[in-house]
Amino acid sequence: MRSGTVWLVVLGLMSFTTVTAAEFRFEDVEEQARERAGSAYQAPDTIPDFMRNLSYQDYQSIRFDPEKNLWKEASSKFQVMLVPAGKFYTRPVNIYVVDAEGVSKLEFDKSLFNMPDSELSKRVPADLGYAGFKLTFPFDGPDIANQFLVFAGASYFRGVSKDTAFGLSARGVAVDTGLPSGEQFPDFTDFWLVRPARNSEEMRVYALLDGPSLTGAYQFTVYPGEETRLDVKARLFIRDDIELLGLAPLTSMFFYGENTPRPDGEWRPQVHDSDGLLIHDGESGEWLWRPLINPKRLATSFHQTSRIAGFGLIQRDTEFRHFEDLEARYERRPSAWVSMDDDWGAGDVVLVEIPTDDETNDNIVAFWSPDDKVTGGAERSLEYSMTFGGPDVARHPGGKAVNTFIGAGDRIGGGDQSGAYRVLVDFAGGQLADIEPDAPVVSKVSGGDGVEVLEHFVEWVQPENKWRLSILARPAKDSILQLRGYLELDDQVVTETWTYSLPPGAGPGSQR
């Protein structure tokens, strides 16, 4: 192999080998997905046990040589780095390039990777295969290839904007997530990278998805920048009935935060990639904020919408002093927002919170699920945009819940009610930024079944120019504390609706 190049092998058996980038279409992938759905599912081949059982350190030592980026020789703004199969990535994928010459497959080549350990290098199979790819774009200058989008593992992909660092992930689809029957993880098995013009600001990727219960064709049009946006078009073909179909899923990590107990021995104030779920109801116009928790037991909540306008997992806290982690830099983790231009119909934004004892597990999943049953033989088309960026990526215009604190309601500063909780919610932004400290802001609070709201009031927090909602509430014994609250001024809602769900044993005084 010549240095600095990636070999492409033209596939003579493929019917669209001579199709050019201008001619390759979403429908070409759609037809393959339809054909696969008509036959029984066959799981993809897996890599040898040796590669599956590599230590994390050994796998990380297999590094793609950035001098061999695909399209580097043409000084393209978009370049491609390849991800080797191994460790967690057990199923190789097919990667094709679509350009003026046609459709060509990227064949695996060990020489594209730097492996300092000669013994490891010797044992890596010559036909190992790629687990996925990373796209780069010159955020920091024309000669710097910044990684901003990674497709690797099942149907996962991760994105960042110019000033954020990798954190949460997205997926092509979620199947039965959080159900006792067990979750399925469909795979992106094939990718087609359409080569962009050298100075193009956008790029297109196609993907074929396959799993036990469905197949799918995907088109991603990618726009990196101050915010990185993916316009997604998908067509799903259902093989078998699906109890809980998750569309546009997001996956993140929440270990602990300002609203939860700090585990014994932890010195960092907070550890999380995202601190809340934001939902925009397209029918009522309501914005709803739900702080995340790390529950003792699996917790699944359903937020009903007749027409969803958008949802996302947001990292609102972007101050280093609130994390104090020089390595992880959680304050730089991106937020992700999913927006829909068309009407997806009635359904639920589903939030799944999974217990975790450390920060290495992605234990948060959010997705939209349709009300109608998903049966074998059905088809579903959808289009949406997914944007990675800072905490304002959703363009939420109103006042926001920027802090949530919770403590016991039977001690000095909290109250004198046994079994109760004192909950403090700080709101800022929107109309709240321009009103006087003595403005007649009022609180509206309600509790769920079995929850007694003992008091609530609002006051101005002068040191930080915020408005604090203070709630004293008591759940029934061994019941969930469920609360909703927002602020009004002159009978007009001026904030989003803050919601909270605290299972028994997850509040102050609980230890992990």
Side-chain angles (χ1 to χ4, degrees), residues 439-470:
V441 178
V442 298
S443 55
K444 301 292 183 179
V445 176
S446 60
D449 291 343
V451 175
E452 184 182 4
V453 179
L454 301 169
E455 71 173 17
H456 62 91
F457 58 88
V458 62
E459 57 187 332
W460 185 53
V461 183
Q462 186 273 333
E464 295 186 323
N465 192 25
K466 298 173 183 175
W467 291 83
R468 175 164 292 176
L469 167 60
S470 182

Side-chain angles (χ1 to χ4, degrees), residues 114-129:
N114 295 321
M115 289 178 266
D117 185 333
S118 59
E119 286 300 312
L120 174 62
S121 177
K122 181 172 61 177
R123 297 185 65 189
V124 171
D127 60 350
L128 175 64

Side-chain angles (χ1 to χ4, degrees), residues 2 38 95 149 184 231 428:
R2 292 175 294 176
I95 302 176
L149 187 62
Q184 294 180 19
D231 289 342

Side-chain angles (χ1 to χ4, degrees), residues 357-370:
D357 290 326
D358 60 45
E359 63 205 271
T360 63
N361 298 311
D362 282 346
N363 64 320
I364 303 295
V365 188
F367 52 84
W368 186 86
S369 186

